[in-house]
Amino acid sequence: DKGGHKHFMSKEIAEQPRVIGEAVRHYLSDDGNAVALPGDLDFTQIDRMTMVACGTAYYACLTAKYWFEQLAQMPVEVDIASEFRYREPPIPARTVALFVSQSGETADTLAALRYCDGKADKILSVVNVPESSIARESDLALPILAGAEIGVASTKAFTCQLTVLLMMALKAAEQRGTLTPERLSDLLSALRALPNTLNTALEQDGNIANAARKLSEASDVLFLGRGLMYPLALEGALKLKEISYIHAEAYASGELKHGPIALIDKHLPVVVMAPRDGLFDKTVSNMQEVLARGGKVMLVTDAEGTVEAAGDAWQTITLPAIDPVLSPILYAVPAQLLAYHTAVAKGTDVDQPRNLAKSVTVE
Ligand code: M6R
């Protein structure tokens, strides 16, 4: 049942405020003032984490690396499951291995989990299907509570994965004493406010559809972002490739002049993900480099960023302001809608894109 939507993907995008609200409530204490995780996870007994996943779930892990490192001072390594399992990396003592998978049945991720069994101190998973193989074979499986995801392109599972991973990082920060109680409480308030913030972002649907119609004429698109916006840029490019079949690539903004700048011309739209955070000026200076070479910039930012930097942009998508720590969850919405409307404009099969399966159970 598409609930009145034309595609499961658009229904699942629209469900995000509700399912994320439920996930946030599920992992908060009864009084709502602390993160409460199941099990007896003690992040003070852990020196490092290794996170392993595929596709969109891998980008959720890349985002979580920034959170665990910056908020909890916890070193994190992130790997693509198909590389990890055959590289057979050493797993040092006091390492937790964390596997993220919507289906919980991805063959490479499951094989990577089995490789860590008996080597890592603990095996954790963040899954959408609680009775899946990955969940069953973990010491502790944290459900993301996204509900069934039918569209092949992952949308609400991604943002629910991010939500749960952020809450884990906040728990780690609390246990390790790396954030002040005030900062922790601000971040929990921002999490509780997230459904409203996401609803405001969804109101940009019409603007994004207009932008997407123009994007649908491109044959290549470049996504740029820094910090937490870098993994999100990767996810935006993957989403666009999967369902619109437009070639898209993502780079960390700082890498632009190390190669991809050679591609810039008037035919290459560049989507710049740039909330008005501590890295904004740096990202904007990369955006200026694109504009100076005749590139077309689609700027995704907030109201302040729009005032400061949208002047020469080809298109601008303005989102509500948010604590920069939570920005990947919010900025996922325009990335998804952009891919969705581009695919609709091109007339591709949005929910069942060619050559793709929802669950990749063979390697
Ligand atoms: O079920 P999983 O989360 O393990 O799946 C991982 C990837 O196959 C999946 O995220 C894939 O990249 C999606 N089609 C992305 O939209």
Side-chain angles (χ1 to χ4, degrees):
D1 176 21
K2 297 186 191 134
H5 289 262
K6 229 172 117 192
H7 300 98
F8 281 108
M9 185 180 178
S10 93
K11 171 177 177 258
E12 289 161 2
I13 291 172
E15 278 171 358
Q16 291 177 110
R18 178 177 60 77
V19 289
I20 287 174
E22 283 164 13
V24 169
R25 273 193 302 281
H26 182 84
Y27 290 106
L28 280 180
S29 58
D30 291 341
D31 64 6
N33 293 327
V35 175
L37 299 181
D40 56 353
L41 261 182
D42 183 352
F43 287 101
T44 65
Q45 299 304 309
I46 296 165
D47 292 341
R48 61 193 275 287
M49 290 177 86
T50 186
M51 300 186 184
V52 182
C54 301
T56 287
Y58 169 71
Y59 297 140
C61 292
L62 275 186
T63 310
K65 174 182 171 76
Y66 288 75
W67 284 330
F68 273 89
E69 291 183 352
Q70 291 174 354
L71 304 171
Q73 300 296 311
M74 166 93 75
V76 173
E77 279 183 27
V78 183
D79 244 301
I80 295 167
S82 56
E83 285 301 309
F84 180 89
R85 65 179 287 197
Y86 294 115
R87 200 172 74 248
E88 304 190 344
I91 311 287
R94 290 166 65 91
T95 298
V96 156
L98 173 72
F99 301 86
V100 179
S101 174
Q102 188 283 128
S103 62
E105 301 295 347
T106 299
D108 282 322
T109 310
L110 183 57
L113 181 153
R114 289 178 176 156
Y115 169 76
C116 289
D117 192 17
K119 298 187 184 74
D121 277 32
K122 227 184 186 66
I123 296 198
L124 301 184
S125 59
V126 169
V127 292
N128 198 28
V129 183
E131 49 289 330
S132 61
S133 307
I134 288 175
R136 280 188 279 108
E137 295 190 29
S138 308
D139 296 315
L140 177 66
L142 301 180
I144 59 168
L145 307 160
E149 190 181 66
I150 311 288
V152 164
S154 182
T155 53
K156 62 175 179 170
F158 176 62
T159 49
C160 285
Q161 284 162 353
L162 290 178
T163 303
V164 175
L165 290 165
L166 173 56
M167 293 182 83
M168 291 175 77
L170 291 177
K171 187 74 202 172
E174 182 207 305
Q175 290 178 341
R176 293 160 69 91
T178 49
L179 284 183
T180 63
E182 294 72 33
R183 182 69 183 122
L184 205 51
S185 136
D186 284 352
L187 288 169
L188 292 179
S189 307
L191 269 168
R192 284 190 300 262
L194 203 48
N196 280 335
T197 319
L198 292 169
N199 272 320
T200 310
L202 286 169
E203 289 167 12
Q204 288 300 308
D205 187 62
N207 285 341
I208 298 174
N210 288 335
R213 268 189 288 281
K214 300 196 181 130
L215 204 67
S216 68
E217 289 157 23
S219 52
D220 307 271
V221 176
L222 184 62
F223 284 74
L224 295 178
R226 259 178 206 266
L228 285 163
M229 288 297 110
Y230 169 48
L232 211 260
L234 290 163
E235 168 62 3
L238 176 64
K239 220 74 314 161
L240 191 68
K241 273 184 277 222
E242 280 191 295
I243 58 168
S244 78
Y245 314 147
I246 293 176
H247 167 240
E249 274 195 83
Y251 272 88
S253 307
E255 278 289 293
L256 184 65
K257 46 167 92 57
H258 299 283
I261 199 164
L263 297 171
I264 304 296
D265 66 13
K266 62 180 186 325
H267 304 292
L268 180 74
V270 182
V271 180
V272 180
M273 301 281 189
R276 183 80 191 78
D277 60 13
L279 298 170
F280 180 76
D281 292 342
K282 300 245 174 247
T283 306
V284 167
S285 90
N286 299 127
M287 182 183 113
Q288 303 297 354
E289 290 159 6
V290 171
L291 291 168
R293 285 158 186 84
K296 292 197 285 197
V297 170
M298 186 180 291
L299 176 64
V300 187
T301 184
D302 47 34
E304 260 186 70
T306 301
V307 170
E308 282 183 43
D312 298 316
W314 172 55
Q315 320 254 355
T316 304
I317 296 163
T318 307
L319 297 178
I322 190 163
D323 189 299
V325 167
L326 280 79
S327 58
I329 308 176
L330 178 64
Y331 281 65
V333 171
Q336 296 162 351
L337 287 173
L338 200 56
Y340 174 74
H341 288 296
T342 305
V344 170
K346 292 198 70 174
T348 54
D349 187 345
V350 172
D351 285 333
Q352 290 288 337
R354 68 185 181 203
N355 310 339
L356 288 175
K358 180 65 183 163
S359 179
V360 184
T361 53
V362 288
E363 65 171 299

